[in-house]
Coordinates of all heavy atoms in Angstrom, one line a residue:
M1 N -15.2 9.3 -0.6 CA -14.1 9.6 0.4 C -12.8 9.5 -0.3 O -12.6 8.6 -1.2 CB -14.2 8.5 1.5 CG -13.1 8.7 2.5 SD -13.3 7.4 3.8 CE -12.7 8.4 5.2
V2 N -11.9 10.3 0.0 CA -10.5 10.4 -0.6 C -9.8 9.1 -0.5 O -9.2 8.7 -1.5 CB -9.7 11.6 0.0 CG1 -8.3 11.6 -0.5 CG2 -10.4 12.9 -0.2
V3 N -9.8 8.5 0.6 CA -9.0 7.2 0.8 C -9.6 6.1 -0.1 O -8.8 5.4 -0.7 CB -9.1 6.8 2.3 CG1 -8.4 5.5 2.5 CG2 -8.4 7.9 3.2
D4 N -10.9 6.0 -0.2 CA -11.5 5.0 -1.1 C -11.1 5.2 -2.5 O -10.7 4.2 -3.2 CB -13.0 5.0 -1.0 CG -13.5 4.6 0.4 OD1 -12.8 3.9 1.1 OD2 -14.6 5.0 0.8
D5 N -11.1 6.5 -3.0 CA -10.6 6.8 -4.3 C -9.2 6.4 -4.5 O -8.8 5.9 -5.6 CB -10.9 8.2 -4.7 CG -12.3 8.6 -4.8 OD1 -13.2 7.7 -4.9 OD2 -12.7 9.8 -4.6
L6 N -8.3 6.7 -3.5 CA -6.9 6.4 -3.6 C -6.7 4.9 -3.7 O -5.9 4.5 -4.5 CB -6.2 7.0 -2.4 CG -4.7 6.9 -2.3 CD1 -4.0 7.6 -3.4 CD2 -4.2 7.4 -0.9
V7 N -7.4 4.2 -2.8 CA -7.2 2.7 -2.8 C -7.7 2.1 -4.2 O -7.0 1.3 -4.7 CB -8.0 2.1 -1.6 CG1 -8.1 0.6 -1.8 CG2 -7.3 2.4 -0.3
R8 N -8.8 2.6 -4.7 CA -9.3 2.1 -6.0 C -8.3 2.4 -7.1 O -8.0 1.5 -7.9 CB -10.6 2.8 -6.2 CG -11.4 2.1 -7.3 CD -12.9 2.7 -7.5 NE -13.2 3.9 -6.8 CZ -13.8 3.9 -5.5 NH1 -14.1 2.8 -4.9 NH2 -14.1 5.1 -5.0
S9 N -7.7 3.6 -7.1 CA -6.7 3.9 -8.1 C -5.5 3.1 -8.0 O -4.9 2.6 -9.0 CB -6.4 5.4 -8.1 OG -5.6 5.7 -7.0
W10 N -5.1 2.8 -6.8 CA -3.9 1.9 -6.6 C -4.2 0.5 -7.1 O -3.4 -0.1 -7.7 CB -3.5 1.8 -5.1 CG -2.8 3.0 -4.5 CD1 -2.2 4.0 -5.2 CD2 -2.6 3.2 -3.2 NE1 -1.7 4.9 -4.3 CE2 -1.9 4.4 -3.1 CE3 -3.0 2.6 -2.0 CZ2 -1.5 5.0 -1.8 CZ3 -2.6 3.1 -0.8 CH2 -1.9 4.3 -0.7
Q11 N -5.4 0.0 -6.8 CA -5.7 -1.4 -7.2 C -5.7 -1.5 -8.7 O -5.2 -2.5 -9.3 CB -7.1 -1.8 -6.6 CG -7.0 -2.1 -5.1 CD -8.3 -2.3 -4.5 OE1 -9.3 -1.6 -4.7 NE2 -8.3 -3.3 -3.6
E12 N -6.2 -0.5 -9.4 CA -6.2 -0.5 -10.8 C -4.8 -0.4 -11.4 O -4.5 -1.2 -12.3 CB -7.0 0.7 -11.4 CG -8.5 0.6 -11.1 CD -9.3 1.9 -11.4 OE1 -8.6 2.9 -11.9 OE2 -10.5 1.9 -11.2
E13 N -4.0 0.4 -10.8 CA -2.6 0.5 -11.3 C -1.8 -0.7 -11.0 O -1.0 -1.2 -11.8 CB -1.9 1.7 -10.6 CG -0.5 1.9 -11.0 CD -0.3 2.3 -12.5 OE1 -1.3 2.6 -13.2 OE2 0.9 2.4 -12.9
I14 N -2.0 -1.3 -9.8 CA -1.3 -2.5 -9.4 C -1.7 -3.7 -10.4 O -0.8 -4.4 -10.8 CB -1.6 -2.9 -8.0 CG1 -1.0 -1.9 -7.0 CG2 -1.2 -4.3 -7.6 CD1 -1.5 -1.9 -5.6
A15 N -3.0 -3.8 -10.7 CA -3.4 -4.9 -11.6 C -2.9 -4.7 -13.0 O -2.6 -5.6 -13.7 CB -4.9 -4.9 -11.6
R16 N -2.7 -3.4 -13.4 CA -2.1 -3.1 -14.7 C -0.6 -3.5 -14.7 O -0.2 -4.0 -15.7 CB -2.3 -1.6 -15.0 CG -1.9 -1.3 -16.4 CD -1.9 0.2 -16.7 NE -0.9 1.0 -15.9 CZ 0.4 0.9 -16.2 NH1 0.9 0.2 -17.2 NH2 1.3 1.6 -15.5
L17 N 0.1 -3.1 -13.6 CA 1.5 -3.4 -13.6 C 1.8 -4.9 -13.5 O 2.8 -5.4 -14.0 CB 2.1 -2.7 -12.4 CG 2.2 -1.2 -12.5 CD1 2.6 -0.6 -11.1 CD2 3.2 -0.8 -13.6
D18 N 0.9 -5.6 -12.7 CA 1.1 -7.1 -12.5 C -0.2 -7.7 -12.3 O -0.8 -7.7 -11.2 CB 2.0 -7.3 -11.3 CG 2.4 -8.8 -11.1 OD1 1.8 -9.7 -11.7 OD2 3.4 -9.1 -10.5
P19 N -0.8 -8.3 -13.3 CA -2.1 -8.9 -13.2 C -2.3 -10.0 -12.2 O -3.4 -10.2 -11.7 CB -2.4 -9.5 -14.6 CG -1.5 -8.7 -15.5 CD -0.3 -8.4 -14.7
R20 N -1.2 -10.6 -11.7 CA -1.2 -11.6 -10.7 C -1.7 -11.0 -9.4 O -2.1 -11.7 -8.5 CB 0.1 -12.3 -10.5 CG 0.6 -13.0 -11.7 CD 2.0 -13.5 -11.5 NE 2.9 -12.4 -11.4 CZ 4.2 -12.4 -11.1 NH1 4.7 -13.6 -10.8 NH2 4.9 -11.3 -11.0
L21 N -1.6 -9.6 -9.2 CA -1.9 -9.0 -8.0 C -3.3 -8.4 -8.0 O -3.7 -7.6 -7.1 CB -0.9 -7.9 -7.7 CG 0.5 -8.3 -7.5 CD1 1.4 -7.1 -7.2 CD2 0.6 -9.3 -6.4
R22 N -4.2 -8.8 -9.0 CA -5.5 -8.2 -9.1 C -6.4 -8.5 -7.9 O -7.4 -7.8 -7.6 CB -6.2 -8.6 -10.4 CG -6.5 -10.1 -10.5 CD -7.2 -10.4 -11.8 NE -7.4 -11.8 -11.9 CZ -6.5 -12.7 -12.3 NH1 -5.3 -12.3 -12.6 NH2 -6.7 -14.0 -12.3
D23 N -6.0 -9.6 -7.1 CA -6.8 -9.9 -5.9 C -6.2 -9.4 -4.6 O -6.6 -9.8 -3.5 CB -6.9 -11.4 -5.8 CG -7.8 -12.0 -7.0 OD1 -8.7 -11.3 -7.4 OD2 -7.5 -13.2 -7.4
L24 N -5.3 -8.5 -4.7 CA -4.7 -7.8 -3.6 C -5.8 -7.1 -2.8 O -6.6 -6.4 -3.3 CB -3.6 -6.8 -4.0 CG -2.9 -6.1 -2.9 CD1 -2.0 -7.0 -2.1 CD2 -2.1 -4.9 -3.5
V25 N -5.8 -7.4 -1.5 CA -6.7 -6.7 -0.6 C -6.0 -5.6 0.2 O -5.0 -5.9 0.8 CB -7.3 -7.8 0.4 CG1 -8.3 -7.1 1.4 CG2 -8.1 -8.9 -0.3
I26 N -6.6 -4.4 0.1 CA -6.0 -3.3 0.8 C -7.0 -2.9 1.9 O -8.2 -2.6 1.6 CB -5.8 -2.1 -0.1 CG1 -4.8 -2.5 -1.3 CG2 -5.2 -0.9 0.6 CD1 -4.6 -1.5 -2.3
T27 N -6.6 -2.9 3.1 CA -7.4 -2.5 4.3 C -6.8 -1.2 4.9 O -5.6 -1.1 5.1 CB -7.4 -3.6 5.3 OG1 -7.8 -4.8 4.7 CG2 -8.3 -3.3 6.5
V28 N -7.7 -0.3 5.2 CA -7.3 1.0 5.7 C -8.0 1.2 7.1 O -9.2 1.1 7.2 CB -7.6 2.2 4.8 CG1 -7.2 3.5 5.3 CG2 -7.0 1.9 3.4
D29 N -7.2 1.6 8.1 CA -7.7 2.0 9.4 C -7.1 3.4 9.7 O -6.0 3.7 9.3 CB -7.2 1.0 10.5 CG -7.9 -0.3 10.3 OD1 -9.1 -0.4 10.1 OD2 -7.2 -1.3 10.4
H30 N -7.9 4.2 10.4 CA -7.4 5.5 10.8 C -7.6 5.7 12.3 O -8.6 5.5 12.9 CB -8.2 6.6 10.0 CG -7.6 7.9 10.2 ND1 -8.2 8.8 11.1 CD2 -6.5 8.5 9.7 CE1 -7.5 10.0 11.1 NE2 -6.5 9.8 10.2
G31 N -6.5 6.1 12.9 CA -6.4 6.5 14.3 C -5.6 7.8 14.4 O -6.0 8.8 13.8
D32 N -4.5 7.7 15.1 CA -3.6 8.9 15.1 C -2.9 9.1 13.7 O -2.5 10.2 13.4 CB -2.5 8.7 16.2 CG -3.1 8.7 17.6 OD1 -4.2 9.3 17.7 OD2 -2.5 8.2 18.5
F33 N -2.9 8.0 12.9 CA -2.3 8.1 11.6 C -3.1 7.0 10.8 O -3.9 6.3 11.3 CB -0.8 7.8 11.6 CG -0.4 6.5 12.3 CD1 -0.4 5.3 11.7 CD2 -0.1 6.5 13.7 CE1 -0.1 4.1 12.3 CE2 0.2 5.4 14.4 CZ 0.2 4.2 13.7
W34 N -2.8 7.0 9.5 CA -3.4 6.0 8.6 C -2.6 4.8 8.6 O -1.3 4.8 8.5 CB -3.5 6.6 7.2 CG -4.4 7.7 7.0 CD1 -4.0 9.1 7.1 CD2 -5.8 7.7 6.8 NE1 -5.1 9.9 6.9 CE2 -6.2 9.1 6.8 CE3 -6.7 6.7 6.7 CZ2 -7.5 9.4 6.6 CZ3 -8.0 7.1 6.5 CH2 -8.4 8.4 6.4
H35 N -3.2 3.6 8.8 CA -2.5 2.3 8.8 C -3.1 1.5 7.7 O -4.3 1.3 7.6 CB -2.7 1.6 10.1 CG -2.0 0.3 10.1 ND1 -2.7 -0.9 9.9 CD2 -0.7 -0.1 10.3 CE1 -1.9 -1.9 10.0 NE2 -0.7 -1.5 10.2
L36 N -2.2 1.0 6.8 CA -2.7 0.3 5.6 C -2.1 -1.1 5.6 O -0.9 -1.3 5.9 CB -2.3 1.0 4.3 CG -3.0 2.3 4.1 CD1 -2.0 3.4 4.6 CD2 -3.3 2.6 2.7
S37 N -2.9 -2.1 5.3 CA -2.5 -3.5 5.2 C -2.7 -3.9 3.8 O -3.8 -3.6 3.2 CB -3.3 -4.4 6.2 OG -3.0 -4.0 7.5
F38 N -1.8 -4.6 3.2 CA -1.9 -5.1 1.9 C -1.7 -6.6 1.9 O -0.6 -7.1 2.3 CB -0.7 -4.5 1.0 CG -0.7 -3.0 1.1 CD1 0.1 -2.4 2.0 CD2 -1.5 -2.2 0.2 CE1 0.1 -1.0 2.1 CE2 -1.5 -0.9 0.3 CZ -0.7 -0.2 1.2
D39 N -2.7 -7.4 1.6 CA -2.7 -8.8 1.8 C -3.0 -9.5 0.5 O -4.0 -9.2 -0.3 CB -3.8 -9.2 2.8 CG -3.5 -8.6 4.1 OD1 -2.5 -8.9 4.8 OD2 -4.3 -7.7 4.6
L40 N -2.3 -10.6 0.2 CA -2.5 -11.5 -0.9 C -2.1 -12.9 -0.5 O -1.0 -13.2 -0.2 CB -1.7 -11.0 -2.1 CG -1.9 -11.8 -3.4 CD1 -3.4 -11.6 -3.9 CD2 -0.9 -11.5 -4.5
G41 N -3.1 -13.7 -0.3 CA -2.9 -15.1 0.2 C -2.3 -15.0 1.6 O -2.9 -14.3 2.4
E42 N -1.2 -15.6 1.8 CA -0.6 -15.6 3.1 C 0.5 -14.6 3.3 O 1.2 -14.5 4.3 CB 0.0 -17.0 3.4 CG -1.1 -18.0 3.6 CD -0.6 -19.4 4.1 OE1 0.4 -19.4 4.7 OE2 -1.3 -20.4 3.8
T43 N 0.7 -13.7 2.2 CA 1.7 -12.7 2.3 C 1.0 -11.3 2.5 O 0.0 -11.0 2.0 CB 2.4 -12.6 0.9 OG1 3.0 -13.9 0.6 CG2 3.5 -11.6 0.9
S44 N 1.7 -10.6 3.4 CA 1.1 -9.2 3.7 C 2.3 -8.2 4.0 O 3.4 -8.6 4.3 CB 0.2 -9.3 4.9 OG 0.9 -9.6 6.1
H45 N 1.9 -7.0 3.7 CA 2.8 -5.9 4.0 C 2.0 -4.8 4.6 O 0.8 -4.7 4.5 CB 3.5 -5.4 2.7 CG 4.3 -6.4 2.1 ND1 5.6 -6.7 2.5 CD2 4.1 -7.3 1.0 CE1 6.1 -7.7 1.8 NE2 5.2 -8.0 0.9
E46 N 2.7 -3.9 5.3 CA 2.0 -2.8 6.0 C 2.7 -1.4 5.7 O 3.9 -1.4 5.3 CB 2.1 -3.0 7.5 CG 1.3 -4.2 8.0 CD 1.4 -4.3 9.5 OE1 0.6 -3.6 10.2 OE2 2.3 -5.0 10.0
A47 N 1.9 -0.4 5.8 CA 2.4 1.0 5.6 C 1.6 1.9 6.5 O 0.5 1.6 6.9 CB 2.3 1.4 4.2
I48 N 2.2 3.0 6.9 CA 1.6 4.0 7.7 C 1.8 5.4 7.0 O 2.7 5.6 6.2 CB 2.1 4.1 9.1 CG1 3.6 4.4 9.2 CG2 1.7 2.8 9.9 CD1 4.1 4.6 10.6
S49 N 0.8 6.3 7.2 CA 0.9 7.6 6.7 C 0.2 8.6 7.6 O -0.8 8.3 8.2 CB 0.2 7.7 5.3 OG 0.3 9.0 4.8
G50 N 0.8 9.8 7.7 CA 0.2 10.8 8.5 C -0.7 11.8 7.7 O -1.6 12.4 8.1
D51 N -0.3 11.9 6.4 CA -0.9 12.9 5.5 C -1.5 12.3 4.2 O -2.0 13.1 3.3 CB 0.1 14.0 5.2 CG 1.3 13.4 4.5 OD1 1.4 12.3 4.2 OD2 2.3 14.2 4.4
L52 N -1.4 11.1 3.9 CA -1.8 10.4 2.7 C -1.0 11.0 1.5 O -1.4 10.8 0.3 CB -3.3 10.6 2.4 CG -4.2 9.9 3.4 CD1 -5.7 10.2 3.1 CD2 -3.9 8.4 3.5
E53 N 0.1 11.5 1.7 CA 1.0 12.0 0.6 C 2.3 11.1 0.6 O 2.9 10.9 -0.5 CB 1.4 13.5 0.8 CG 0.2 14.4 0.7 CD -0.3 14.5 -0.7 OE1 0.4 14.4 -1.7 OE2 -1.6 14.6 -0.8
T54 N 2.8 10.7 1.7 CA 3.9 9.8 1.9 C 3.6 8.7 2.7 O 2.9 8.8 3.8 CB 5.1 10.6 2.5 OG1 5.4 11.8 1.8 CG2 6.4 9.8 2.6
F55 N 4.0 7.5 2.3 CA 3.7 6.3 3.1 C 5.0 5.6 3.5 O 5.9 5.4 2.7 CB 2.9 5.3 2.2 CG 1.5 5.9 1.9 CD1 1.4 6.9 0.9 CD2 0.4 5.6 2.6 CE1 0.2 7.4 0.6 CE2 -0.8 6.1 2.4 CZ -0.9 7.1 1.3
A56 N 5.0 5.1 4.7 CA 6.2 4.5 5.2 C 5.9 3.0 5.3 O 5.0 2.6 6.1 CB 6.6 5.0 6.6
F57 N 6.6 2.2 4.6 CA 6.5 0.7 4.6 C 7.6 0.2 5.6 O 8.6 0.9 5.8 CB 6.8 0.1 3.2 CG 5.6 0.4 2.3 CD1 5.5 1.6 1.6 CD2 4.7 -0.6 2.0 CE1 4.5 1.8 0.7 CE2 3.7 -0.4 1.2 CZ 3.5 0.8 0.5
T58 N 7.4 -1.0 6.1 CA 8.4 -1.6 6.9 C 9.6 -2.0 6.1 O 9.5 -2.4 5.0 CB 7.8 -2.8 7.7 OG1 7.3 -3.7 6.7 CG2 6.8 -2.4 8.7
D59 N 10.8 -1.7 6.7 CA 12.0 -2.1 6.0 C 12.4 -3.5 6.5 O 11.6 -4.2 7.1 CB 13.1 -1.1 6.4 CG 13.4 -1.0 7.8 OD1 13.0 -1.9 8.6 OD2 14.2 -0.1 8.3
G60 N 13.5 -4.0 6.1 CA 13.9 -5.3 6.4 C 14.0 -5.7 7.9 O 13.9 -6.8 8.3
S61 N 14.1 -4.7 8.7 CA 14.2 -4.9 10.2 C 12.9 -4.7 10.9 O 12.8 -4.7 12.1 CB 15.3 -4.1 10.8 OG 15.1 -2.7 10.5
G62 N 11.8 -4.4 10.1 CA 10.5 -4.2 10.7 C 10.1 -2.8 11.1 O 9.0 -2.6 11.6
Y63 N 11.0 -1.8 10.8 CA 10.7 -0.4 11.2 C 10.0 0.2 10.0 O 10.3 -0.1 8.8 CB 11.9 0.3 11.6 CG 12.5 -0.2 12.8 CD1 13.6 -1.1 12.8 CD2 12.0 0.1 14.1 CE1 14.2 -1.5 14.0 CE2 12.6 -0.3 15.2 CZ 13.7 -1.2 15.2 OH 14.2 -1.7 16.3
F64 N 9.1 1.2 10.2 CA 8.5 1.9 9.2 C 9.4 3.0 8.7 O 9.3 4.2 9.0 CB 7.2 2.5 9.6 CG 6.1 1.5 9.8 CD1 5.8 1.0 11.1 CD2 5.3 1.1 8.8 CE1 4.8 0.0 11.3 CE2 4.3 0.1 8.9 CZ 4.1 -0.4 10.2
E65 N 10.4 2.6 7.9 CA 11.5 3.5 7.5 C 11.6 3.7 5.9 O 12.3 4.6 5.4 CB 12.9 3.0 8.0 CG 13.0 2.9 9.5 CD 13.4 4.2 10.1 OE1 14.1 5.0 9.5 OE2 13.1 4.4 11.3
D66 N 10.9 2.9 5.2 CA 10.9 2.8 3.7 C 9.9 3.8 3.2 O 8.7 3.4 3.0 CB 10.7 1.4 3.2 CG 10.8 1.3 1.7 OD1 11.3 2.2 1.1 OD2 10.3 0.3 1.2
E67 N 10.2 5.1 3.0 CA 9.2 6.1 2.6 C 9.0 6.1 1.1 O 9.9 6.1 0.3 CB 9.6 7.4 3.1 CG 9.5 7.6 4.6 CD 9.7 9.0 5.1 OE1 9.6 9.9 4.3 OE2 9.9 9.1 6.4
V68 N 7.7 6.2 0.7 CA 7.3 6.2 -0.7 C 6.3 7.2 -0.9 O 5.3 7.3 -0.1 CB 6.7 4.8 -1.1 CG1 6.3 4.8 -2.5 CG2 7.7 3.7 -0.8
A69 N 6.4 8.1 -1.9 CA 5.4 9.1 -2.2 C 4.1 8.3 -2.7 O 4.2 7.2 -3.2 CB 5.9 10.0 -3.3
V70 N 3.0 9.0 -2.6 CA 1.7 8.4 -2.9 C 1.7 7.8 -4.3 O 1.2 6.7 -4.5 CB 0.6 9.4 -2.7 CG1 0.7 10.6 -3.7 CG2 -0.8 8.7 -2.8
A71 N 2.3 8.5 -5.3 CA 2.3 8.0 -6.7 C 3.1 6.7 -6.8 O 2.9 5.9 -7.8 CB 2.7 9.1 -7.6
G72 N 4.1 6.5 -5.9 CA 5.0 5.3 -6.1 C 4.5 4.1 -5.3 O 5.1 3.0 -5.4
V73 N 3.4 4.2 -4.6 CA 2.9 3.0 -3.8 C 2.6 1.8 -4.7 O 3.0 0.7 -4.4 CB 1.7 3.5 -2.9 CG1 1.0 2.2 -2.3 CG2 2.2 4.4 -1.9
P74 N 1.8 2.0 -5.8 CA 1.6 0.7 -6.6 C 2.9 0.0 -7.1 O 3.0 -1.2 -7.0 CB 0.8 1.3 -7.8 CG 0.1 2.5 -7.3 CD 1.1 3.1 -6.4
R75 N 3.8 0.8 -7.5 CA 5.1 0.2 -8.0 C 5.8 -0.5 -6.8 O 6.3 -1.6 -7.0 CB 6.0 1.2 -8.7 CG 7.2 0.6 -9.3 CD 7.9 1.5 -10.3 NE 7.0 2.0 -11.4 CZ 6.7 1.2 -12.4 NH1 7.1 0.0 -12.6 NH2 5.9 1.7 -13.4
R76 N 5.8 0.1 -5.6 CA 6.4 -0.5 -4.5 C 5.8 -1.8 -4.1 O 6.4 -2.8 -3.8 CB 6.4 0.5 -3.3 CG 6.9 -0.1 -2.0 CD 8.4 -0.4 -2.0 NE 9.1 0.8 -1.8 CZ 10.3 1.1 -2.3 NH1 10.9 0.1 -2.9 NH2 10.8 2.2 -2.1
L77 N 4.4 -1.8 -4.2 CA 3.7 -3.0 -3.8 C 4.0 -4.2 -4.8 O 4.2 -5.3 -4.4 CB 2.2 -2.8 -3.7 CG 1.8 -2.0 -2.5 CD1 0.4 -1.5 -2.6 CD2 2.0 -2.8 -1.3
V78 N 4.1 -3.8 -6.1 CA 4.5 -4.8 -7.1 C 5.9 -5.4 -6.7 O 6.1 -6.6 -6.8 CB 4.4 -4.2 -8.5 CG1 5.1 -5.2 -9.5 CG2 3.0 -4.0 -8.9
Q79 N 6.8 -4.5 -6.3 CA 8.1 -5.0 -6.0 C 8.1 -5.9 -4.7 O 8.7 -6.9 -4.7 CB 9.1 -3.8 -5.7 CG 9.4 -3.0 -6.9 CD 10.1 -1.7 -6.6 OE1 10.0 -1.2 -5.4 NE2 10.7 -1.0 -7.6
L80 N 7.3 -5.5 -3.7 CA 7.2 -6.2 -2.5 C 6.6 -7.6 -2.7 O 7.0 -8.6 -2.0 CB 6.4 -5.4 -1.4 CG 7.1 -4.2 -0.9 CD1 6.1 -3.4 0.0 CD2 8.3 -4.6 -0.1
F81 N 5.6 -7.7 -3.6 CA 5.0 -9.0 -3.8 C 5.6 -9.8 -4.9 O 5.2 -10.9 -5.1 CB 3.5 -8.8 -4.1 CG 2.6 -8.5 -2.9 CD1 2.3 -7.2 -2.5 CD2 2.2 -9.5 -2.1 CE1 1.6 -6.9 -1.4 CE2 1.4 -9.3 -0.9 CZ 1.1 -8.0 -0.6
A82 N 6.7 -9.3 -5.5 CA 7.3 -10.1 -6.6 C 8.0 -11.3 -6.0 O 8.5 -11.4 -4.9 CB 8.3 -9.1 -7.3

């Protein structure tokens, strides 16, 4: 499945960028859109996507306004968990 391959590639890139994040858990649900949860210990972040090309992460006020292209997701997660 495309999503499984995408998640696997992200996990590899994230662990390469920051080995402390090698245990990051990525959960994907699909309804009207893709909803992704990124969890490490007690810290979590969320993103949504309609097309698996662009992902909207929550901004400082809790709205899904922080848009990131698919290739930039690993780097964004490293920044968020830093």
Side-chain angles (χ1 to χ4, degrees):
M1 177 179 217
V2 172
V3 174
D4 293 336
D5 293 340
L6 183 61
V7 167
R8 195 172 12 266
S9 72
W10 283 346
Q11 287 173 318
E12 290 170 3
E13 179 68 9
I14 290 164
R16 186 187 70 72
L17 291 169
D18 188 340
R20 297 172 298 170
L21 299 179
R22 69 182 174 277
D23 294 327
L24 179 70
V25 176
I26 301 174
T27 306
V28 180
D29 292 313
H30 187 259
D32 293 338
F33 53 87
W34 295 94
H35 179 261
L36 297 94
S37 297
F38 307 94
D39 301 293
L40 184 65
E42 294 187 25
T43 304
S44 65
H45 296 282
E46 297 180 82
I48 57 172
S49 178
D51 58 8
L52 297 178
E53 294 294 324
T54 304
F55 295 81
F57 287 82
T58 53
D59 62 11
S61 56
Y63 294 101
F64 289 97
E65 301 271 337
D66 181 18
E67 290 191 14
V68 178
V70 66
V73 169
R75 189 164 301 283
R76 173 67 77 207
L77 287 167
V78 169
Q79 291 169 344
L80 289 171
F81 281 96

